[in-house]
Amino acid sequence: MSRFLFVVPPLVGHINPAVGVAAELAARGHRTAWAALPEAIAPLAGPEAEIHPCAVLPSADRTAPPGPLDEAYRRPPDLRGTAALKYLWEGFLIPLADAMAPGIEAAIARFRPDVLVVDQQAVAGALVAERHGLPWATCATTSAEFTGALAGLPLVEAWIRGLLDGLRGRIGAPGRTTDPRFSPHLVLAFTTPELTGPATIDRPIRFVGPAIAPRPTEPPFPWEWLDPGRATALVTLGTANADTGTAFLTACHRAVQERSHRLQTVIADPGHALGAPPPDADVLVLPTVPQLRLLEHLDAVVCHAGHNTVCESLWHGVPLVVAPIRDDQPVVAGQVAASGAGIRVRFGRPDATRLGRALDEVIDNAAHRAAARRIGDSFRAAGGAAAAATHLERLTRPLPEPVEEPPR
């Protein structure tokens, strides 16, 4: 039996893949634990999860109530592009790492892990593991950074590396040069090249596909509402975009209502952007939905190109209309469009007519569903949580010293 410590940020899309891998390791007789925000882990990993608390940041918007997971920060909704990336790193990822580091230290002392399994955005786990001489694996819950997303932005990449160097000086092993976003031992990519294209970084990347696992808890849903005589779509902007999506969700609502003779639609609206619509046989608006189970009944998904939602949809062979907002989403949206598994539309200034046409295209054009199924087949062949667990088990064996990167 080996001990695996999972280090994750308080974000649903980053926790869910790790939950599947942790469950697989536990089923094989290993012991697993979490260094994270307990309120974020318990609803997703289940009441039996061993959690070592880590401090996280309060919401940047002190007047806003915390969401279901208290995702620790809310960015100004109008931030896009480089400004959003700057806020992500300076306002969230680096301060989050500083806040989590003491809890990770305590977790290592109490749990005595053999391996740390570190989310790509929880870089404190990598730096603390490095200082203790422990092997660590990266959980890459998005493919954007290892497929050259910043290749054309050398100044941005240099700026990020400067932030990471400063962080290493505070919580890591000074003098080391390994990029904490990418483990020199193992990078688990929860996707496949059929969607992303080939990786462009020199790291031991293992494409394992999505780690799909049953959710311990899920919100209620009126399954009898589904009409088997019509196509069914889901509109969702994920859990971290409730304050940005009013115009987009309103346009989607209008577009799907105009197609109610042939289309039934579920809209996830955690921020109540659409108010409280009355019961409707054609459009069902709910604050949360049981997404995994619902995907089994869907013909299309309209989303923000969040990596988790995209991969879960393609796992089920469901084509997409993707409207990226920020961060890695434009990269993932480009991958969806290039693969043929969906259509990219604009998030800003949404147009109901164009949204409706895009929905018609992904539902009526069999090529999109065929591409989605092809990618879904590649996900299954990659092995998912079982393959990830096997790669992690290999890290419990003696490892060669990692090769340091040249000084920058």
PDB file of all heavy atoms in Angstrom, residues 324-336:
ATOM      1  N   PRO A 324     -16.110  30.718 -25.716  1.00  0.00           N
ATOM      2  CA  PRO A 324     -15.087  30.929 -24.682  1.00  0.00           C
ATOM      3  C   PRO A 324     -15.148  32.323 -24.085  1.00  0.00           C
ATOM      4  O   PRO A 324     -15.452  33.302 -24.784  1.00  0.00           O
ATOM      5  CB  PRO A 324     -13.778  30.700 -25.439  1.00  0.00           C
ATOM      6  CG  PRO A 324     -14.105  31.019 -26.868  1.00  0.00           C
ATOM      7  CD  PRO A 324     -15.523  30.565 -27.067  1.00  0.00           C
ATOM      8  N   ILE A 325     -14.838  32.390 -22.785  1.00  0.00           N
ATOM      9  CA  ILE A 325     -14.879  33.666 -22.074  1.00  0.00           C
ATOM     10  C   ILE A 325     -13.466  34.177 -21.830  1.00  0.00           C
ATOM     11  O   ILE A 325     -13.140  35.317 -22.159  1.00  0.00           O
ATOM     12  CB  ILE A 325     -15.646  33.519 -20.744  1.00  0.00           C
ATOM     13  CG1 ILE A 325     -17.064  32.975 -21.009  1.00  0.00           C
ATOM     14  CG2 ILE A 325     -15.718  34.862 -20.012  1.00  0.00           C
ATOM     15  CD1 ILE A 325     -17.836  32.632 -19.736  1.00  0.00           C
ATOM     16  N   ARG A 326     -12.571  33.340 -21.239  1.00  0.00           N
ATOM     17  CA  ARG A 326     -11.231  33.790 -20.876  1.00  0.00           C
ATOM     18  C   ARG A 326     -10.377  32.590 -20.480  1.00  0.00           C
ATOM     19  O   ARG A 326     -10.811  31.455 -20.579  1.00  0.00           O
ATOM     20  CB  ARG A 326     -11.295  34.802 -19.731  1.00  0.00           C
ATOM     21  CG  ARG A 326     -12.069  34.328 -18.527  1.00  0.00           C
ATOM     22  CD  ARG A 326     -12.421  35.472 -17.586  1.00  0.00           C
ATOM     23  NE  ARG A 326     -13.295  35.050 -16.511  1.00  0.00           N
ATOM     24  CZ  ARG A 326     -13.941  35.882 -15.714  1.00  0.00           C
ATOM     25  NH1 ARG A 326     -13.816  37.185 -15.865  1.00  0.00           N
ATOM     26  NH2 ARG A 326     -14.718  35.429 -14.752  1.00  0.00           N
ATOM     27  N   ASP A 327      -9.143  32.870 -20.031  1.00  0.00           N
ATOM     28  CA  ASP A 327      -8.200  31.847 -19.571  1.00  0.00           C
ATOM     29  C   ASP A 327      -7.908  30.850 -20.687  1.00  0.00           C
ATOM     30  O   ASP A 327      -7.613  31.233 -21.800  1.00  0.00           O
ATOM     31  CB  ASP A 327      -8.722  31.161 -18.302  1.00  0.00           C
ATOM     32  CG  ASP A 327      -8.974  32.134 -17.155  1.00  0.00           C
ATOM     33  OD1 ASP A 327      -8.304  33.185 -17.138  1.00  0.00           O
ATOM     34  OD2 ASP A 327      -9.834  31.858 -16.313  1.00  0.00           O
ATOM     35  N   ASP A 328      -8.020  29.549 -20.385  1.00  0.00           N
ATOM     36  CA  ASP A 328      -7.717  28.521 -21.380  1.00  0.00           C
ATOM     37  C   ASP A 328      -8.859  28.278 -22.345  1.00  0.00           C
ATOM     38  O   ASP A 328      -8.705  27.521 -23.312  1.00  0.00           O
ATOM     39  CB  ASP A 328      -7.388  27.210 -20.664  1.00  0.00           C
ATOM     40  CG  ASP A 328      -8.580  26.665 -19.904  1.00  0.00           C
ATOM     41  OD1 ASP A 328      -9.303  27.467 -19.280  1.00  0.00           O
ATOM     42  OD2 ASP A 328      -8.805  25.438 -19.913  1.00  0.00           O
ATOM     43  N   GLN A 329     -10.017  28.898 -22.108  1.00  0.00           N
ATOM     44  CA  GLN A 329     -11.209  28.556 -22.880  1.00  0.00           C
ATOM     45  C   GLN A 329     -11.078  28.841 -24.377  1.00  0.00           C
ATOM     46  O   GLN A 329     -11.539  28.021 -25.186  1.00  0.00           O
ATOM     47  CB  GLN A 329     -12.422  29.267 -22.278  1.00  0.00           C
ATOM     48  CG  GLN A 329     -12.744  28.799 -20.864  1.00  0.00           C
ATOM     49  CD  GLN A 329     -13.535  29.793 -20.059  1.00  0.00           C
ATOM     50  OE1 GLN A 329     -14.132  30.735 -20.593  1.00  0.00           O
ATOM     51  NE2 GLN A 329     -13.532  29.621 -18.735  1.00  0.00           N
ATOM     52  N   PRO A 330     -10.459  29.954 -24.818  1.00  0.00           N
ATOM     53  CA  PRO A 330     -10.272  30.125 -26.265  1.00  0.00           C
ATOM     54  C   PRO A 330      -9.444  29.009 -26.896  1.00  0.00           C
ATOM     55  O   PRO A 330      -9.710  28.603 -28.035  1.00  0.00           O
ATOM     56  CB  PRO A 330      -9.562  31.483 -26.359  1.00  0.00           C
ATOM     57  CG  PRO A 330      -9.988  32.212 -25.135  1.00  0.00           C
ATOM     58  CD  PRO A 330     -10.061  31.161 -24.070  1.00  0.00           C
ATOM     59  N   VAL A 331      -8.432  28.505 -26.167  1.00  0.00           N
ATOM     60  CA  VAL A 331      -7.616  27.411 -26.696  1.00  0.00           C
ATOM     61  C   VAL A 331      -8.454  26.141 -26.829  1.00  0.00           C
ATOM     62  O   VAL A 331      -8.436  25.466 -27.870  1.00  0.00           O
ATOM     63  CB  VAL A 331      -6.399  27.160 -25.789  1.00  0.00           C
ATOM     64  CG1 VAL A 331      -5.586  25.971 -26.302  1.00  0.00           C
ATOM     65  CG2 VAL A 331      -5.526  28.404 -25.707  1.00  0.00           C
ATOM     66  N   VAL A 332      -9.205  25.808 -25.786  1.00  0.00           N
ATOM     67  CA  VAL A 332     -10.038  24.605 -25.819  1.00  0.00           C
ATOM     68  C   VAL A 332     -11.114  24.738 -26.898  1.00  0.00           C
ATOM     69  O   VAL A 332     -11.404  23.783 -27.624  1.00  0.00           O
ATOM     70  CB  VAL A 332     -10.662  24.340 -24.438  1.00  0.00           C
ATOM     71  CG1 VAL A 332     -11.609  23.140 -24.495  1.00  0.00           C
ATOM     72  CG2 VAL A 332      -9.565  24.102 -23.395  1.00  0.00           C
ATOM     73  N   ALA A 333     -11.706  25.926 -27.019  1.00  0.00           N
ATOM     74  CA  ALA A 333     -12.714  26.143 -28.069  1.00  0.00           C
ATOM     75  C   ALA A 333     -12.121  25.929 -29.451  1.00  0.00           C
ATOM     76  O   ALA A 333     -12.763  25.338 -30.339  1.00  0.00           O
ATOM     77  CB  ALA A 333     -13.290  27.547 -27.951  1.00  0.00           C
ATOM     78  N   GLY A 334     -10.886  26.407 -29.640  1.00  0.00           N
ATOM     79  CA  GLY A 334     -10.224  26.177 -30.923  1.00  0.00           C
ATOM     80  C   GLY A 334     -10.001  24.705 -31.199  1.00  0.00           C
ATOM     81  O   GLY A 334     -10.129  24.244 -32.345  1.00  0.00           O
ATOM     82  N   GLN A 335      -9.675  23.937 -30.158  1.00  0.00           N
ATOM     83  CA  GLN A 335      -9.497  22.495 -30.323  1.00  0.00           C
ATOM     84  C   GLN A 335     -10.809  21.822 -30.723  1.00  0.00           C
ATOM     85  O   GLN A 335     -10.828  20.935 -31.594  1.00  0.00           O
ATOM     86  CB  GLN A 335      -8.967  21.897 -29.025  1.00  0.00           C
ATOM     87  CG  GLN A 335      -7.567  22.348 -28.659  1.00  0.00           C
ATOM     88  CD  GLN A 335      -7.153  21.933 -27.258  1.00  0.00           C
ATOM     89  OE1 GLN A 335      -7.942  21.375 -26.500  1.00  0.00           O
ATOM     90  NE2 GLN A 335      -5.904  22.201 -26.896  1.00  0.00           N
ATOM     91  N   VAL A 336     -11.909  22.231 -30.093  1.00  0.00           N
ATOM     92  CA  VAL A 336     -13.215  21.654 -30.427  1.00  0.00           C
ATOM     93  C   VAL A 336     -13.564  21.933 -31.888  1.00  0.00           C
ATOM     94  O   VAL A 336     -13.965  21.033 -32.631  1.00  0.00           O
ATOM     95  CB  VAL A 336     -14.302  22.222 -29.491  1.00  0.00           C
ATOM     96  CG1 VAL A 336     -15.696  21.827 -29.989  1.00  0.00           C
ATOM     97  CG2 VAL A 336     -14.101  21.727 -28.064  1.00  0.00           C
TER      98      VAL A 336
END
